[in-house]
Amino acid sequence: MSPGSLKDRLHERDRRVAELGVYEERLDLKEGDPIAFELLYSRILQSVTSAHEVARLVSASPMSRELGEIIFGLYTPEGDAVALSRGLLIHIHTMSRMIKWMIENDYQDDPGFNEGDYYFNNDPYIGGAHCPDQMIVTPIYWEGELVAWAGGLTHTPETGGSEPGGFIPFARSRFDEGLFLPCVKIAENDRIKRDLEILVERGIRSPIFWLTDNRAKITGTQMIRQEIKGLIEPFGADNFGKACREYIEDTRRAAKRRVRTVLFPGRYREVGWRGSVMPRQETLLHGPVELTVSTEGRLVLDYQGMSPAGRHPFQGTLPTIEGLVMNVLIQHLFYDLKHNEGVLMVVDLKVPEGSAGNPPSIFYPTALWGITYGAGLASGQALSRAYYAQGYREEVHATSALSCAYTAGGVDQYGRPFGAHNFEFAAAGLFASAVADGLDTAGVEFNPEGEMGDAEIWEQVLPPVYLGREIHIDGGGFGKYRGGNGVLSLYQVWGTDEIDVGGFGAAPIFSAPGLMGGYPAGAVYMWVGSRTNIRQLIEERRPIPAGEGEDPETPDFVRQVAATWELVHGHNRVGTPARPGDLFTAMTGDGGGFGDPIERDPELVRRDLENKVTTPWTARNVYCIAVDPDTLEVDRQETERLRAARREERMRMGIPAQQYKARERERVLCGDFPPPVARMYHAVLGASEVFQSAFREFWDLPEEWRMPDPDQLAQEMA
Amino acid sequence: MPEYPRELIADLLRGRLSSDEIGGLQRHEKDASRFQTVLAVEQQRLGWTDRILLCLQEHLYVVQRPEGSRTVRCECGHEFGDYRRNWKESALVHERDASDGLVYRGPRRADPSWTVLREFYCPGCATQLDVEVVPRGYPFIFNFQPDFEGHEGRGEAE
Amino acid sequence: MSIESRRRPELCYIDVGGTFTDAFIVDAEGEYVTGKAPSTPGELARGFFAAIGAAAESWGMTVEEVLRSLKVLGYGSTVVLNAILTRSGRTPGLITTSGFEGILLMERGKQTWVDLDRAARLHPMTHRHNSPIVPRRLIRGVTGRIDSLGREVIPLYEHDVRAAAEELVEARVDAIVICLLWSFLNPSHERRAAEIVRDVVRERGRQVQVVTSVDVSPMIRELPRVNTAILEAYTGDLARAAFQDMQGRLEERGFRGQLQIMQSTGGLAPAVYVKAVETIQSGPAGGVIGGRYIGEIYGFENLITTDVGGTSFDVGLVSEGFINVNREPAVARMLLGVPMIEILSIGAGGGTIARIDPLTGRLEIGPQSAGSEPGPVCYGRGGTEPTVTDADLVLGYLDPDYFIGGRIVLDAGSARRAIRERIAEPLGMSIEKAAEGIRTIADAKMRDAISGLIATRGFDLSDYHLLAFGGAGPSHVADYTKGLSLAGTMVFPFSAVFSAFGAASADYEHHYTRAVNVIVPPRASDEEKLALGRRISEAWEELRVRGSRQMEHEGFDRARIQFRPLAMIRYGRQLNDLIVTSPVDRIGSPADWDRLIEAFEQLYTRVFAVAAKYPQAGYEILEVGLAAYTEKIRPKLRFEAPGLSAPPEDAAKRLRPAWFEGGWQETAVYEMSRLRPGNELSGPILVEDPTTTLVVPPARRIRLDGYRTIWLEEER
């Protein structure tokens, strides 16, 4: 084993990788005895998987126990991932970053590393995506030498931020997001420090989630430590270390081969959007991606042109966008490999400094990821086009749902302080593929094992009661294959007089783009009805709404319940006091569609009508299908006629691209854009040379043209 | 690597595979010959004399013209021109303000002061080839520039 | 009249396997005989009679003589599982809480991937929804809400229920399932709804079964609960019909006893009373129960049962004398709210296929299996892909002419060819090395399954004895236990019928649970302990009454009925509770209370970690349970004082070349049935039996104890 401090070893490792472009030059162990090599790996993988299975049972958080929002990993002494359990694979490298950060910052000398130490981190600028991503790592020693790290991560539903529930839709700085403990030693000699627990018990609304999650992670990492020592014994530490490095190299090679086999080389471009809804500073956020699939099997993802960071939570740290991209690649390209540092080595990420994907300082809040999520999903669409070109249609998919949910805090039905969010959006609507409809209520990008949890579990954690939990009718983007529909739930405030209810989502934009002619999923939204007459309705046994119903223009609950109804377009709502009897909805988001909607097989529409997940209106107006609403019989002839008519209509409405450009150019020349768009153009054109020249070229703009600053204009007007 | 019968791939392209059959393709390792098989299937189906070099996206192909140029062509035969230029430049465009209520209803409509839809139709057959989600004034997105040389250089057997 | 014919067979257990049906008959003295016959799918009874006949012979009795004398005939029924797997049940309708009509289409998301392996789980393109057993058009929602504390939020809209019932009856459903939110905690709405539905059914003069979720699965989590209730409605009639038919056929041939069915939780219950959903895992339960019984005989509390069949490797656990039970099982991708013996099943058996992944160049084993048709290459039935059995044969462990007593003649040539072409050449190694590799990986999968199952419970292997059985168990046990620090490894002369033996040893047992929702504050006062304790004692008492009433009804002597009080305990606001067997029958004092909590703390620390304890959070007991059981005659293992360590002359067969430690060795072969108690032999040897072969590699040895159990040990 190479001598010197961990810091020296880390630098040596960086030099080696940079110079050779490989992690380990020779696979001696693999070539020597391929079978024993695979066996050792399966034992390692099993140790992290067992930790995942056991640990979640310790937690009081439905995120961990029910939804599996938890992951464990084994790391080299320098902090490179060797093997990861199932679960939140978006965090494939998060704990690596934490370990490396501690090494770089001389933790080895002070506070020092010892067996039985447990370090905690939830600072997303060190590792993680936001305050709720909480990780614990512990060193594994053999004969006095640190030979590996075991780590575990959970997503906790409450962080003590300025609003309850960990997602802070209106955070203006990091300091609104809650309690950060950056790489803090929380346990020694396998015992948790009580004083740090009291810090949490008195620092956040529902300490039980945080503190039992810690217990879960300590339980899991202890299991890994014990198992790994058992594995080292027969092999010796040096062989074990060599094997770990070979697993990473083995993966790097397999990943490279995979890229060369299944993706068509070339340059792919997509754009993701999100928006900041901070009052009076509404800004569209730009998340372009250019994917280059190189001939020799590398993937370059360039986010040049991403909006600059701002004082809003709709942005992410560098680790966030890295995680999102790796997560997309694992789910769609590397799903069957050994998941470790090796998969990161075939990818180059270029995220401009100062952008909303790589903020200039830790001051910037990142609670909602925002544009990094949009850009991450766009990367998946780019990948899909590369699959399509190479002929693998079965892997081609549109974008999966933007996730949103409600948050609440106050005093729960047991009289205890609480703060939490409902995480049913872990089973939102999935993307349509090139060969099938997207799955309804099935998944979300950051955790492939979609799970919404039973309503009875959520009602134990959050006081509001469900009046309905339905498939979001017509939610998924329309297309030859439609996007998956998410969940739309209707809640009644109940069981407490002390509760704030809020929501988090995005701007009022199309949430999940479609692909190759498919429509995007619509905007997300939240309804809130206060001062309702629900008591009276109940007394008189009149109908109680269960959801939106078939007509989103006037939802059932608005028709049936007299109340002050507020529509929150974009789903972002600051936590606001609510009274028993108030109603509100929350939705999870839906998937993007694929292909021209008028090519949709009428049989699929008939099935959707039968399952009540689409409406006769949509069948006729979007899919141009004539179907009898009662018998659900399709009139083929009439359908053909409707579709022919739609094509004629398109010929009438569509104008030649050059003509369209000439018309739009005028708008661009005088910078005539609504504020959210104007702010975006002004910021991005100012920040990115590349985007600016592309923009000028496309619109053929004169040298002197500048995008005016809308806010400055406004001031001058005043 | 497995070799899949040409009929199976043809059915995949035509959307005639069962959910289980698709699942099989998704779970097993990929067939290296897929690219060639797909081109062969499409060449036969469309009966074009010009050689198909690539399936660019739904309905659009890059074909080798006799005089040597490589152009984007729609299934219906409409030519969009050189593949190195964004085919959208020669399509029909309709910018849809979702508040027209023709596709999206109720609050599902995105606010046009944030994003609108840009629908691209084929001038030959009026097929909806792409729907861009963009703010007003956003340049056309040039989704895909294939690297043919790289692809040929790479070989298939990897 | 021979001695034999004066035997009084009391109990017969039939284990129906894919290929063979085994009968295990026990007489009043606990003596037993076994019989094997080909399974007869479609007409179970024929296989029953053939197997009983085969066993009866050795007591010189006829099938009728045995049947007339039997008090109980039990079997593991697959009728319910098959109906689910083949989707061939009745047509139920569903009445659920308004706004939850989509629950079966949503599947909580989880049911789209729950049965997939790691790669597929991480690859969402492979996920799929199941088509629900109850289509959307046969589902109705009714207004009415109960909250998480059992309080009424919205009263039940009875007119909704009536309307729903009328529509469903009109739609000609066979059954109506009622599942409302929180019904397990406060069943008033669900029960009232059931009354209304029954009224409607009566008025319409229809035959429609009414199933309430609280009576089938009184557990939190609405999806598993509704799934379970639906499956009961879907398969209940079929199960009852099948059991009645079987009873009839047995009676035609003289049977006057009681027909009993093995339940998924491992107890036998009379066919007339058993719930269909409690027999879903009826089949494989036997092996684990046998493990527990062996444990009782030897005085071992912790055992691992390993059953290596043709397509799968099944592992079961007995911990502290209790069989591990899975309370959130998934069957046919449906999450269920009915407990089942926990059996970890992985695709690693004799028929499991070996192949090379072209991308990674890795040698991979399974999970695909060649099954029994076409079966391994060496069966010569058209199999082309090499399997684990082919590797066993190529390495000389199996005798091509003595497989299943020579019923199948194995073709070693084709096995060698398949391994050479598909594994050895691509990997550039010899055929033997490749075959060895196949075994090594398959055995490692089994080993990982064992250590994994133990690890994921936080248990310690060295507390456990491992039992190896099933056709292929003995040929792999030496390798899949290698490196595991077990307390001991046991192989049985009746390996192939071990499951039937186990099931024959089962008690009559019923399990009951009831929601109590007891929330215990940190540092509870004695008053609080007493008050809460009273609630729990009352719940236990209620279950005791229910249990003894049912079991008396089933014809058991009240005096012989025994009870085991259980409490599902967790720290305040945790979501996962542990089943704690209460050290006290009732809680009459704060001290009793503390003993119950202490039992929980001890279990918790063993399963998780000391650092994971959290008494500061208080405790919650949402559910209590009760096991009611009564013992019955069981097969006795005959004991014989161990004799010489040298085996009798006639036990030794010939020498046969077998592959050990990277080379061919002339290996001694012994006939298992001829070995005597006390015999000791050192590896490498092969010990054969018509139904199985025990492989003892170098550095391992075997020893037969007084029960003729074969102990596999490290060479001293």
Side-chain angles (χ1 to χ4, degrees), chain A residues 30 35 38-39 42-43 45-46 50 53-54 57-62 65-66 84-86 89 190-192 194 197 201 206 208-209 211-212 215 218-219 222-223 257-258 261 330-332 335-339 394-397 412-414 416-418 427 430-431 433 439-442 448-457 459-461 465-471 487 492 494-495 535 537-538 541-542 544 546 610-612, chain C residues 98-103 105-110 112-113 118-119 121-125 127-129 136-137 143 145-149 151-157 159 180-184 219-225 328 335 357-363 427 429 433 436-438 440-441 444 447-453 455-458 484 519 570 572-576 604 607-614 616-617 620 622:
Chain A
K30 181 180 182 176
I35 289 159
E38 295 305 332
L39 289 183
S42 75
R43 297 294 291 277
L45 183 60
Q46 188 197 55
S50 305
E53 291 306 315
V54 177
L57 302 180
V58 173
S59 178
S61 161
R65 167 64 174 83
E66 307 293 312
L84 289 139
S85 72
R86 297 184 286 105
L89 278 157
D190 294 330
R191 300 203 86 83
I192 297 176
R194 183 65 190 140
E197 297 231 305
E201 282 173 359
S206 286
I208 189 76
F209 298 138
L211 295 179
T212 53
R215 283 163 171 73
I218 287 173
T219 302
Q222 250 183 53
M223 288 172 60
R257 277 198 300 279
R258 176 67 54 87
T261 315
I330 286 172
Q331 290 182 40
H332 296 292
Y335 37 82
D336 56 350
L337 304 186
K338 299 185 181 90
H339 300 118
E394 69 273 21
E395 303 296 341
V396 173
H397 64 283
D412 66 15
Q413 62 267 49
Y414 316 94
R416 301 179 288 212
F418 84 100
L430 279 180
F431 35 69
S433 81
L439 300 185
D440 296 340
T441 68
E449 292 167 288
E451 153 78 278
M452 68 179 67
D454 285 289
E456 286 171 350
I457 295 298
E459 289 188 356
Q460 277 190 318
V461 175
V465 293
Y466 282 88
L467 290 188
R469 187 190 216 188
E470 303 189 319
I471 296 176
V487 183
Q492 178 187 336
W494 168 263
R535 285 262 123 259
L537 293 176
I538 291 170
R541 295 293 188 275
R542 275 152 60 197
I544 304 298
E610 203 169 67
N611 290 338
K612 295 188 162 59
Chain C
S98 169
F100 284 77
E101 299 89 339
I103 184 169
L105 291 171
M106 296 162 93
E107 300 195 276
R108 219 171 82 192
K110 184 172 185 173
T112 61
W113 53 264
R118 175 185 169 107
R121 282 179 173 208
L122 297 185
H123 186 193
M125 303 302 285
H127 299 184
R128 299 286 188 273
H129 271 297
R136 182 68 181 76
R137 62 183 177 79
T143 298
R145 274 305 321 263
I146 301 290
D147 75 2
S148 61
L149 300 175
R151 301 171 303 191
E152 184 175 78
V153 183
I154 302 173
L156 182 68
Y157 278 26
H159 54 281
L180 305 178
L181 289 186
W182 296 104
S183 62
F184 69 97
M219 296 184 172
I220 189 169
R221 293 189 180 85
E222 68 273 11
L223 181 63
R225 191 166 72 247
E328 297 169 38
L335 302 167
D357 180 327
L359 187 73
T360 61
R362 269 187 241 168
L363 172 58
L427 285 181
M429 50 172 69
K433 272 280 171 211
E436 196 177 50
I438 294 173
T440 317
I441 292 183
R447 191 187 313 121
D448 290 350
I450 296 165
S451 54
L453 191 61
T456 50
R457 300 297 168 294
L484 297 183
I519 293 178
R570 63 199 197 187
R573 303 184 71 176
Q574 262 184 326
L575 291 164
N576 190 77
Y604 187 90
V607 176
F608 301 115
V610 181
K613 290 171 73 169
Y614 197 18
Q616 294 94 335
E620 286 174 4
L622 298 194

Side-chain angles (χ1 to χ4, degrees), chain A residues 368-589:
Chain A
L368 294 180
W369 307 6
I371 191 55
T372 51
Y373 199 56
L377 299 191
S379 315
Q381 290 224 110
L383 190 67
S384 285
R385 292 184 183 274
Y387 260 128
Y388 190 101
Q390 191 68 13
Y392 301 106
R393 303 280 174 96
E394 69 273 21
E395 303 296 341
V396 173
H397 64 283
T399 306
S400 71
L402 170 158
S403 27
C404 37
Y406 88 87
T407 64
V411 177
D412 66 15
Q413 62 267 49
Y414 316 94
R416 301 179 288 212
F418 84 100
H421 54 265
N422 181 304
F423 210 78
E424 65 191 1
F425 65 86
L430 279 180
F431 35 69
S433 81
V435 290
D437 285 352
L439 300 185
D440 296 340
T441 68
V444 71
E445 200 63 36
F446 52 77
N447 183 353
E449 292 167 288
E451 153 78 278
M452 68 179 67
D454 285 289
E456 286 171 350
I457 295 298
W458 289 117
E459 289 188 356
Q460 277 190 318
V461 175
L462 290 147
V465 293
Y466 282 88
L467 290 188
R469 187 190 216 188
E470 303 189 319
I471 296 176
H472 189 215
I473 301 173
D474 280 338
F478 306 120
K480 176 181 178 184
Y481 296 107
R482 65 164 176 87
N485 301 313
V487 183
L488 186 134
S489 296
L490 175 63
Y491 302 90
Q492 178 187 336
V493 175
W494 168 263
T496 174
D497 299 326
E498 184 69 49
I499 180 171
D500 292 359
V501 174
F504 66 88
I509 60 172
F510 290 101
S511 56
L515 188 64
M516 300 185 187
Y519 280 106
V524 296
Y525 53 91
M526 179 179 193
W527 286 93
V528 181
S530 43
R531 287 186 290 285
T532 69
N533 65 337
I534 190 122
R535 285 262 123 259
Q536 185 192 351
L537 293 176
I538 291 170
E539 276 153 26
E540 299 167 8
R541 295 293 188 275
R542 275 152 60 197
I544 304 298
E548 193 174 50
E550 286 206 351
D551 179 11
E553 303 281 353
T554 44
D556 289 355
F557 42 81
V558 173
R559 270 192 299 105
Q560 295 171 341
V561 181
T564 318
W565 283 105
E566 170 197 5
L567 172 65
V568 185
H569 210 190
H571 213 298
N572 297 290
R573 182 173 190 265
V574 66
T576 313
R579 279 198 239 58
D582 288 3
L583 302 185
F584 65 93
T585 66
M587 58 182 288
T588 63

Side-chain angles (χ1 to χ4, degrees), chain A residues 179-418:
Chain A
L179 183 58
F180 287 100
L181 299 181
C183 297
V184 172
K185 188 191 282 190
I186 61 158
E188 272 172 350
N189 309 317
D190 294 330
R191 300 203 86 83
I192 297 176
K193 295 185 185 174
R194 183 65 190 140
D195 51 352
L196 278 165
E197 297 231 305
I198 288 166
L199 171 71
V200 174
E201 282 173 359
R202 304 184 70 84
I204 76 172
R205 296 173 184 82
S206 286
I208 189 76
F209 298 138
W210 185 315
L211 295 179
T212 53
D213 269 353
N214 279 0
R215 283 163 171 73
K217 286 171 280 193
I218 287 173
T219 302
T221 47
Q222 250 183 53
M223 288 172 60
I224 297 170
R225 188 179 70 198
Q226 187 181 344
E227 187 65 21
I228 294 304
K229 287 185 166 188
L231 293 180
I232 291 177
E233 196 159 14
F235 285 88
D238 288 1
N239 266 331
F240 183 81
K242 168 73 169 144
C244 290
R245 295 195 300 279
E246 290 195 18
Y247 293 131
I248 294 173
E249 175 63 13
D250 191 37
T251 297
R252 189 193 65 81
R253 296 182 185 183
K256 196 163 165 244
R257 277 198 300 279
R258 176 67 54 87
V259 171
R260 289 173 58 99
T261 315
V262 302
L263 302 180
F264 195 99
R267 202 168 57 185
Y268 302 83
R269 292 203 193 85
E270 298 288 335
V271 184
W273 302 100
R274 286 296 184 268
S276 162
V277 294
M278 303 304 274
R280 292 181 312 285
Q281 296 161 30
E282 292 86 356
T283 311
L284 187 64
L285 296 170
H286 185 219
V289 57
E290 180 178 282
L291 164 69
T292 305
V293 178
S294 81
T295 316
E296 62 280 0
R298 291 193 68 76
L299 298 173
V300 183
L301 290 123
D302 189 338
Y303 297 89
Q304 180 61 244
M306 180 177 281
S307 288
R311 297 192 59 181
H312 57 74
F314 302 93
Q315 58 206 341
T317 57
L318 194 54
T320 312
I321 191 162
E322 285 175 351
L324 279 156
V325 169
M326 290 324 300
N327 191 57
V328 164
L329 295 177
I330 286 172
Q331 290 182 40
H332 296 292
L333 193 59
F334 300 142
Y335 37 82
D336 56 350
L337 304 186
K338 299 185 181 90
H339 300 118
N340 57 35
E341 178 71 19
V343 293
L344 284 84
M345 291 181 68
V346 300
V347 182
D348 295 330
L349 276 190
K350 297 178 180 170
V351 189
E353 286 186 15
S355 75
N358 190 3
S361 88
I362 68 169
F363 172 80
Y364 293 83
T366 61
L368 294 180
W369 307 6
I371 191 55
T372 51
Y373 199 56
L377 299 191
S379 315
Q381 290 224 110
L383 190 67
S384 285
R385 292 184 183 274
Y387 260 128
Y388 190 101
Q390 191 68 13
Y392 301 106
R393 303 280 174 96
E394 69 273 21
E395 303 296 341
V396 173
H397 64 283
T399 306
S400 71
L402 170 158
S403 27
C404 37
Y406 88 87
T407 64
V411 177
D412 66 15
Q413 62 267 49
Y414 316 94
R416 301 179 288 212
F418 84 100

